Amino acid sequence: MGTELTFCRMPLDRASTLRKNQQWLDEKLNANDSRFYFYWRGKYLYLDEKIFVFNREGSIDKLLNVLNTSEFNKIITENALTFLGTDNNVAIFVCDLSLMHDVDLKKWLEKLDLINMKFIDFRNSLSLLNQQQGAILSYAKALIHWQRSANFCGSCGGKTKAMDGGHRMVCTNDSCQKEHFPRTDPVVIMLVEYQPKSGPAVCLLAEHHRIPDKVFSTLAGFVDPGESLQEAVIREVYEEAGVDVASVSFIDSQPWPFPNSLMIGFFAQAQGMDLCLEEEELRSASWFTAQQLLDFNEWGDEGDAPKLPRKESISRLLIDLWCEKQLSVTADVIGK
């Protein structure tokens, strides 16, 4: 697949070897050309609806004459920094301000004295980002979430400290010193299809309790320990919908920073259409033809009409690919 999914196509060199060198990291932290994003509780800093990137040269946003550089240096020094990688040897960092109280954050923004500078929720700002920016910021968000969850050692409960630019947490308890590394949770997500003996193929979409009413999405679930991806697809489809799956084919994958998953997409061939729903997971589920899905509204549209998942999700990619395939087949049949 050509990976055009949101959060894919990371442009940075992660510099996994160099980030272990503290001297090199310190030099990059103080370099004039190093770039810094600013994060606060799930939001990033924007200026005039554009993601804000600071460097001490002022070359990124050409604002050196109005930026309070000393104020930025102070905030960078006093808050947690995570090294993200390099872009043509220029170091990229994210500064996590999440420990700042709302009032203190507001005062800091007022000191900067820049109109239209504000923090915007990452999920709600995706339309303001290009493909590469989305990949970088999702990476940063996932790392910060993991760091927050690893502030204390899972083995002894001791305090941990960040190493390798925030990519490793080490227990400070001398009798433990356990190392902790970022975790990614694998999730299978699958479009289940069925081909009746006559008539068009249909796919299974469901209303999940965790998303708004009238949004129909694909099935999904976490991979269990000791389970292959294909086995997880078969199990999840049966557990959630009572449908037996005959075959599974991989389509694409997508990092998903809400909070730290890897979505692994499949098409799954159902052996029948009878449904037995797991009501704790699903409000409803139905089989739809590609033609029916063309009449669905978009996520966020008003009204009671059925809606498709968000365009940035792999669930939407699976649905769109399936519809494209089915409508192409229909067109070929009509053409003959």
Side-chain angles (χ1 to χ4, degrees):
M1 296 296 303
T3 309
E4 299 297 333
L5 280 163
T6 307
F7 314 131
C8 294
R9 298 172 73 184
M10 164 62 69
L12 302 183
D13 178 350
R14 297 174 189 250
S16 56
T17 299
L18 288 172
R19 71 190 182 208
K20 297 176 183 177
N21 184 330
Q22 190 58 49
Q23 180 180 346
W24 181 85
L25 269 180
D26 290 341
E27 290 173 356
K28 289 298 183 183
L29 276 172
N30 295 301
N32 286 335
D33 61 351
S34 292
R35 303 173 191 172
F36 299 84
Y37 294 97
F38 295 89
Y39 176 93
W40 183 77
R41 303 181 187 180
K43 303 178 179 182
Y44 284 101
L45 187 60
Y46 284 77
L47 177 63
D48 294 325
E49 302 297 311
K50 294 182 180 179
I51 188 67
F52 178 73
V53 186
F54 169 76
N55 79 349
R56 298 176 181 91
E57 294 177 333
S59 61
I60 302 300
D61 291 284
K62 304 185 188 311
L63 290 167
L64 188 60
N65 58 330
V66 294
L67 281 178
N68 188 337
T69 304
S70 62
E71 189 62 37
F72 276 104
N73 286 333
K74 180 174 181 290
I75 209 77
I76 287 170
T77 303
E78 294 178 350
N79 290 274
L81 289 169
T82 298
F83 170 72
L84 300 177
T86 60
D87 180 7
N88 293 322
N89 204 38
V90 173
I92 313 295
F93 295 87
V94 59
C95 182
D96 181 13
L97 310 181
S98 298
L99 293 181
M100 291 181 67
H101 293 295
D102 302 43
V103 174
D104 295 329
L105 186 75
K106 183 179 179 181
K107 289 180 179 178
W108 179 66
L109 290 174
E110 289 173 349
K111 284 183 182 179
L112 300 179
D113 195 26
L114 285 174
I115 300 173
N116 296 330
M117 177 171 273
K118 60 183 177 180
F119 282 87
I120 303 177
D121 178 75
F122 177 53
R123 187 71 175 265
N124 295 333
S125 68
L126 292 179
S127 63
L128 304 176
L129 303 171
N130 61 35
Q131 180 86 20
Q132 295 185 337
Q133 291 169 336
I136 293 171
L137 298 186
S138 70
Y139 173 42
K141 183 180 183 301
L143 276 174
I144 290 172
H145 177 271
W146 166 74
Q147 291 164 3
R148 293 288 178 195
S149 68
N151 275 328
F152 295 91
C153 177
S155 292
C156 74
K159 189 75 174 68
T160 60
K161 64 177 179 179
M163 303 291 289
D164 302 348
H167 292 256
R168 178 167 60 104
M169 304 291 279
V170 180
C171 180
T172 57
N173 182 347
D174 290 339
S175 63
C176 180
Q177 298 185 18
K178 183 177 177 61
E179 296 179 318
H180 302 268
F181 296 92
R183 310 295 299 181
T184 297
D185 298 325
V187 178
V188 291
I189 182 165
M190 44 277 174
L191 185 140
V192 181
E193 60 179 339
Y194 180 74
Q195 178 62 65
K197 292 182 179 179
S198 62
V202 290
C203 73
L204 178 62
L205 300 180
E207 288 186 279
H208 299 258
H209 289 299
R210 61 182 180 273
I211 59 178
D213 290 350
K214 299 299 182 179
V215 175
F216 286 83
S217 185
T218 52
L219 302 182
F222 289 99
V223 180
D224 279 352
E227 185 175 50
S228 72
L229 299 177
Q230 293 85 348
E231 288 171 336
V233 170
I234 294 169
R235 175 183 55 78
E236 282 289 342
V237 172
Y238 186 78
E239 287 180 353
E240 292 194 358
V243 173
D244 288 317
V245 168
S247 63
V248 175
S249 55
F250 170 76
I251 302 300
D252 211 335
S253 63
Q254 179 187 32
W256 192 249
F258 306 106
N260 55 347
S261 298
L262 176 65
M263 310 299 290
I264 308 159
F266 296 88
F267 283 167
Q269 303 292 328
Q271 294 182 310
M273 294 179 62
D274 291 339
L275 299 177
C276 180
L277 303 187
E278 184 179 12
E279 295 181 356
E280 291 185 2
E281 290 285 336
L282 307 177
R283 282 193 298 270
S284 71
S286 298
W287 297 95
F288 300 96
T289 65
Q291 193 65 45
Q292 287 175 312
L293 295 180
L294 290 180
D295 295 327
F296 276 38
N297 287 351
E298 294 291 342
W299 175 292
D301 288 349
E302 296 182 359
D304 292 330
K307 302 171 183 65
L308 294 172
R310 293 175 183 266
K311 291 182 178 180
E312 69 265 19
S313 68
I314 192 171
S315 177
R316 179 59 176 270
L317 173 75
L318 294 173
I319 294 170
D320 288 347
L321 287 175
W322 185 81
C323 285
E324 181 181 339
K325 173 185 173 184
Q326 298 305 318
L327 294 173
S328 175
V329 169
T330 301
D332 288 344
V333 170
I334 294 174
K336 292 179 181 179

